[in-house]
Every structure is written in structure tokens, then in C-alpha cells.
């Protein structure tokens, strides 16, 4: 039987991680799609990356699957640079693993929002 730790270890092994500073540089250059996978209550409390898409982890599969026409979000393109953020990095890793399993090839975990904010990344409410 698998545990949460097992799933997180597998996700961290499969999804590359990027420092906040490097992610901020990508954002400043207009590269990639930034997605905050936290729920709206957490985002409302702390804010998020400026211009980030807000797609909760529980909706990733539905929003990333073009076959689910009613829920699919066109920001999901199989070859797009996708940068995921959450509260501490765990949900971003798990979401990234899901996207990779769905055929997305360029998915990166940029960790927790506090790291982004502390590094001076642009934010919005």
C-alpha cells in the first residue's frame, strides 16, 4: 500500500524543481505558463504570482484534458513551459507528476509561494 510520502517522493523524483530566482527570471522574460495550484482561500489570503492561472490541484486533470471539453483550459498545451507553485511545493510536485503522466513534457515545480514572495517575485491579490 502506498502512502502520501511515497506519492510525494515519486513526484519529486519525476518533476524538476527550479529556484524562485530562476523562476522569477523566466516570468520577467515572459516565458512559460505560471499556475498556482492552491485553493482559492489560500490564494485570497496570501496573493499569488502576478498573472498566474489559478487552477486548484483537484481540478488539474479536468482542466488539462482536452477531451473534457466543458472544463478544459487552453493554457494547457503539451509542449508549453509550465511552472507550478503552491504553499510549500508538495501540491505543485504532485500536480506536476499528474501533468507529466498526462503527456505534458515541460513541467517544473517552483516550490512555495512564500519563496517566490521572499525572492521579490511580482505578486497580485
Amino acid at each position: 500500500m502506498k502512502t502520501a510520502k511515497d506519492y510525494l517522493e515519486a513526484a519529486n523524483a519525476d518533476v524538476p524543481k527550479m529556484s524562485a530566482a530562476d523562476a522569477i527570471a523566466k516570468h520577467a522574460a515572459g516565458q512559460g505558463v505560471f499556475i498556482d495550484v492552491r485553493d482559492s482561500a489560500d490564494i485570497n489570503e496570501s496573493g499569488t504570482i502576478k498573472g498566474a492561472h489559478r487552477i486548484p490541484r483537484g481540478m488539474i486533470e479536468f482542466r488539462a484534458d482536452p477531451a473534457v471539453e466543458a472544463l478544459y483550459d487552453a493554457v494547457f498545451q503539451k509542449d508549453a513551459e509550465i511552472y507550478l507553485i503552491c504553499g510549500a511545493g508538495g501540491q505543485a510536485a504532485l500536480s506536476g507528476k499528474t501533468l507529466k503522466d498526462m503527456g505534458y513534457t515541460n513541467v517544473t515545480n517552483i516550490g512555495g509561494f512564500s519563496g517566490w514572495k521572499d525572492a521579490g517575485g511580482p505578486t497580485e491579490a
Side-chain angles (χ1 to χ4, degrees):
M1 182 169 84
K2 284 189 172 185
T3 65
K5 181 181 175 188
D6 295 329
Y7 283 106
L8 191 55
E9 286 176 355
N12 283 324
D14 196 25
V15 180
K17 195 159 186 192
M18 178 180 284
S19 72
D22 288 344
I24 290 167
K26 293 276 189 186
H27 186 272
Q31 295 177 321
V33 175
F34 287 77
I35 300 173
D36 192 327
V37 300
R38 295 176 294 158
D39 66 35
S40 59
D42 289 338
I43 293 172
N44 289 340
E45 186 175 311
S46 67
T48 190
I49 295 171
K50 185 174 184 176
H53 299 270
R54 301 166 187 208
I55 303 172
R57 178 176 172 244
M59 292 299 295
I60 287 289
E61 292 89 340
F62 301 105
R63 303 288 296 275
D65 186 350
V68 184
E69 293 177 22
L71 297 174
Y72 175 66
D73 189 325
V75 303
F76 288 100
Q77 299 297 313
K78 296 290 183 181
D79 59 349
E81 292 178 49
I82 299 174
Y83 299 97
L84 302 169
I85 196 163
C86 64
Q91 290 182 60
L94 293 167
S95 297
K97 174 80 167 106
T98 296
L99 290 172
K100 290 190 86 176
D101 289 348
M102 292 177 75
Y104 290 85
T105 58
N106 196 353
V107 180
T108 303
N109 177 357
I110 58 174
F113 180 68
S114 63
W116 175 273
K117 195 171 178 180
D118 291 347
T123 64
E124 66 185 23

